[in-house]
Amino acid sequence: MSDDFETLRRLRPDRVRPAEPAEPNTLTRHKEALMAAIDQARRPGATVRRPAMYPRLAYLDEVAALEHLSRVFGFVERREERMGSGSPEDPMLAWLDFGDGVVMIGRANEASHRVHQIYSPSEVGRATAMINVRVHDIDEHYRRAVEAGAHVTMPLEDAMYGFRRYEASDPEGNRWHFHESFTDIRARGGQIAEESQPDDQ
């Protein structure tokens, strides 16, 4: 029996060293992947969750975009669905989860221009869309994104319509709007700016 316990002790997770150095969004990515797997397991007979609507974004360097969205914003790739290697001769298509949302990314090239008529903002010189993303704990998401080098275009603020928000651009100029409702902030014990001001009386 003691030999069995010793075998288990050797397999303890805290004895396992990561293959790569720790970085801020590792826990977030694994949490999102776990939650997606749990959500999937709850539905008998379900295979892959396919939202009725999701954006497709074009990038001149789709591999760099995948790395940035994962590392900076905490998106989780559906690795088993990736198509193509991302080499110069083999464009990549990838699907990334965030909570119950999905975004598809691919290469901006002659084929995407001709077939889908979509371009990277880098090609046209400006953002052509803004993707809205609801997050849990906007304060922590913002902190991690800034720490990871996000290009923030609107600092974190409480908006009058009942959401805390910030905006950032990815390396090719797509605009991302991250937000959390005041209701959700209060539910997790957070405070709204106007509520934390000292009373003038």
Side-chain angles (χ1 to χ4, degrees):
M1 182 67 73
S2 61
D3 289 342
D4 292 337
F5 280 120
E6 184 55 36
T7 300
L8 291 173
R9 287 190 189 100
R10 285 198 301 271
L11 293 174
R12 279 169 39 190
D14 59 343
R15 293 182 182 272
V16 177
R17 299 291 182 188
E20 300 175 356
E23 51 91 8
N25 285 331
T26 299
L27 179 60
T28 300
R29 289 203 307 272
H30 286 288
K31 176 185 170 187
E32 293 290 343
L34 175 62
M35 296 310 294
I38 291 171
D39 179 61
Q40 197 65 37
R42 285 177 180 156
R43 294 177 294 163
T47 52
V48 177
R49 178 176 50 82
R50 301 273 185 199
M53 181 173 66
Y54 59 92
R56 172 173 173 170
L57 303 177
Y59 291 90
L60 294 172
D61 187 341
E62 73 279 21
V63 176
L66 172 62
E67 188 277 335
H68 182 88
L69 296 175
S70 301
R71 179 177 55 83
V72 177
F73 298 140
F75 285 75
V76 179
E77 183 191 7
R78 295 181 174 185
R79 186 61 186 84
E80 70 283 358
E81 294 193 34
R82 183 190 295 186
M83 299 171 62
S85 66
S87 69
E89 304 78 23
D90 188 24
M92 180 184 73
L93 289 174
W95 287 260
L96 293 87
D97 286 319
F98 193 99
D100 57 2
V102 179
V103 63
M104 176 184 180
I105 66 172
R107 185 173 301 172
N109 56 13
E110 189 277 330
S112 72
H113 300 162
R114 175 174 42 81
V115 177
H116 304 296
Q117 299 181 25
I118 56 175
Y119 296 78
S120 165
S122 292
E123 296 176 285
V124 298
R126 66 187 65 192
T128 58
M130 181 173 73
I131 301 92
N132 293 280
V133 184
R134 176 173 47 86
V135 304
H136 172 71
D137 198 342
I138 187 75
D139 305 284
E140 178 64 11
H141 192 273
Y142 180 73
R143 185 193 67 76
R144 286 196 312 264
V146 170
E147 197 173 82
H151 175 59
V152 175
T153 54
M154 175 193 289
L156 190 68
E157 65 175 18
D158 286 351
M160 62 181 182
Y161 56 86
F163 285 83
R164 182 167 295 162
R165 66 185 182 180
Y166 79 92
E167 291 183 8
S169 290
D170 64 34
E172 294 197 23
N174 285 300
R175 180 65 62 89
W176 298 86
H177 178 101
F178 298 97
H179 63 271
E180 182 180 20
S181 72
F182 288 175
T183 301
D184 289 343
I185 291 171
R186 292 187 187 101
R188 63 175 170 81
Q191 284 190 309
I192 310 307
E194 62 186 22
E195 298 171 351
S196 60
Q197 298 300 317
D199 195 344
D200 291 332
Q201 298 179 352

